[in-house]
Amino acid sequence: MLALLLLVPSAAAYAVHWAIFRNAHDIFYYLLMDIGFLFVQAILATLVFDQLLNAHERQLLQRKLNVMVGVFFSQVGTPLLRLLSAFDSRAEEMREHLRVDGTWSAERVAETETILKGHQSQIDASRGDLAGLKLILDRQRDFLVRLLESPNLLEHEILTELLWAVFHLADELAHRSNLASLSKPDRLHLEGDIRRAYQLLVRSWLQYVNHLKTDYPYLFSLAMRTNPFDPNARVEIS
């Protein structure tokens, strides 16, 4: 129907042209010219202008996602890292590589990501504060739900996985009334959930801090002074 609606006025215009000028040569000459340029127009529209628009939209989307990541770490991510790192008996090995400062380069970040992929966290539920972890996740449940409801979340694969891992850990802890007397299988299950959330959280934190260093130096300064992996980090500037 749409094709007919477009073809009918076009045919009518050519008919009027023929009725007035009786010049079939011009009609077919300009018709072929228009058809020939149609392919060039399609290239310009789809490969050039469309790509420029998509690139602009991707930049806007990335900014929105970066804001979401920033809000997550400001609200719950950084305190959660401090709590979860206490469960890792090998956390000191990672701290040596995650004391981010102003001298960090893209190569240093890539090198650290490679090291983190090879790091195997040794999670021990008896080392950390399970009750405190349960409390902070319970308090932040509504906030986590709002983040999960964001339509842009699917564009950020790591953040999506992270939020699901954290939310699952929150559910596991919420369904246990007595965390002080866990059976061995139950404790091992919780340690697996903690490890999953912890590893994703560390990876996301590194990417987030690198983004701040590039685009928001003043926020990067605060991130360094609240670095959960640096025991000497202080918010106050001396």
Side-chain angles (χ1 to χ4, degrees), residues 1 6 8 37 50 53 60 67 75 97 107 116 118 123 127 129 134 136 141 181 192 196 198 202 215 219-220:
M1 183 62 69
L6 293 172
V8 168
F37 185 71
D50 191 54
L53 289 173
L60 291 177
V67 169
Q75 184 78 9
H97 301 288
E107 292 76 15
L116 291 179
I123 302 299
R127 288 176 56 91
D129 184 6
K134 177 181 178 179
I136 190 175
R141 178 177 291 273
S181 58
R196 182 189 305 110
Y198 179 52
V202 172
D215 297 329
L219 293 178
F220 176 70

Side-chain angles (χ1 to χ4, degrees), residues 175-218:
H175 283 84
R176 287 167 173 79
S177 56
N178 189 357
L179 294 171
S181 58
L182 297 171
S183 66
K184 184 177 180 180
D186 200 29
R187 179 172 56 82
L188 291 173
H189 180 81
L190 278 178
E191 288 173 351
D193 293 333
I194 291 172
R195 182 182 297 105
R196 182 189 305 110
Y198 179 52
Q199 290 176 341
L200 287 169
L201 196 57
V202 172
R203 183 182 172 190
S204 297
W205 181 85
L206 180 62
Q207 293 182 353
Y208 165 65
V209 171
N210 184 50
H211 157 66
L212 293 184
K213 183 178 182 297
T214 304
D215 297 329
Y216 300 99
Y218 61 97

Side-chain angles (χ1 to χ4, degrees), residues 99-112:
R99 292 178 181 175
V100 184
D101 56 41
T103 64
W104 274 50
S105 61
E107 292 76 15
R108 178 75 181 276
V109 173
E111 178 185 343
T112 304

Side-chain angles (χ1 to χ4, degrees), residues 80 84 87 130 133-134 136-138 141 144 162-176 179 189-198 201:
L80 191 58
L84 294 182
F87 292 95
L130 281 176
L133 180 60
K134 177 181 178 179
I136 190 175
L137 290 176
D138 184 61
R141 178 177 291 273
L144 294 173
L162 169 59
L163 288 176
W164 278 117
V166 171
F167 202 83
H168 174 71
L169 178 58
D171 272 346
E172 290 281 359
L173 293 172
H175 283 84
R176 287 167 173 79
L179 294 171
H189 180 81
L190 278 178
E191 288 173 351
D193 293 333
I194 291 172
R195 182 182 297 105
R196 182 189 305 110
Y198 179 52
L201 196 57

Side-chain angles (χ1 to χ4, degrees), residues 12-29:
Y14 282 119
V16 171
H17 186 283
W18 168 256
I20 297 174
F21 300 105
R22 299 287 180 175
N23 190 340
H25 175 270
D26 284 352
I27 292 176
F28 287 106
Y29 173 79

Side-chain angles (χ1 to χ4, degrees), residues 32-183:
L32 288 174
M33 288 286 289
D34 289 340
I35 293 174
F37 185 71
L38 182 64
F39 299 101
V40 177
Q41 193 175 33
I43 292 173
L44 291 173
T46 58
L47 298 183
V48 179
F49 300 130
D50 191 54
Q51 288 296 321
L52 290 174
L53 289 173
N54 287 339
H56 181 65
E57 290 175 358
R58 284 195 297 270
Q59 288 178 352
L60 291 177
L61 178 59
Q62 189 61 49
R63 288 180 183 175
K64 292 179 181 178
L65 291 173
N66 288 335
V67 169
M68 285 179 58
V69 173
V71 171
F72 169 78
F73 276 102
S74 176
Q75 184 78 9
V76 66
T78 301
L80 191 58
L81 269 174
R82 291 193 182 93
L83 279 172
L84 294 182
S85 62
F87 292 95
D88 185 9
S89 60
R90 299 181 63 188
E92 191 60 37
E93 298 175 19
M94 280 207 306
R95 288 193 183 103
E96 293 299 320
H97 301 288
L98 291 170
R99 292 178 181 175
V100 184
D101 56 41
T103 64
W104 274 50
S105 61
E107 292 76 15
R108 178 75 181 276
V109 173
E111 178 185 343
T112 304
E113 287 181 337
T114 302
I115 292 172
L116 291 179
K117 288 178 182 178
H119 175 79
Q120 294 295 325
S121 299
Q122 200 72 33
I123 302 299
D124 183 352
S126 64
R127 288 176 56 91
D129 184 6
L130 281 176
L133 180 60
K134 177 181 178 179
L135 181 62
I136 190 175
L137 290 176
D138 184 61
R139 287 176 176 173
Q140 300 296 339
R141 178 177 291 273
D142 290 342
F143 171 73
L144 294 173
V145 169
R146 288 197 298 273
L147 284 181
L148 285 170
E149 289 174 346
S150 172
N152 297 322
L153 184 63
L154 294 177
E155 300 293 333
H156 199 302
E157 183 178 352
I158 296 178
L159 181 60
T160 303
E161 291 183 22
L162 169 59
L163 288 176
W164 278 117
V166 171
F167 202 83
H168 174 71
L169 178 58
D171 272 346
E172 290 281 359
L173 293 172
H175 283 84
R176 287 167 173 79
S177 56
N178 189 357
L179 294 171
S181 58
L182 297 171
S183 66

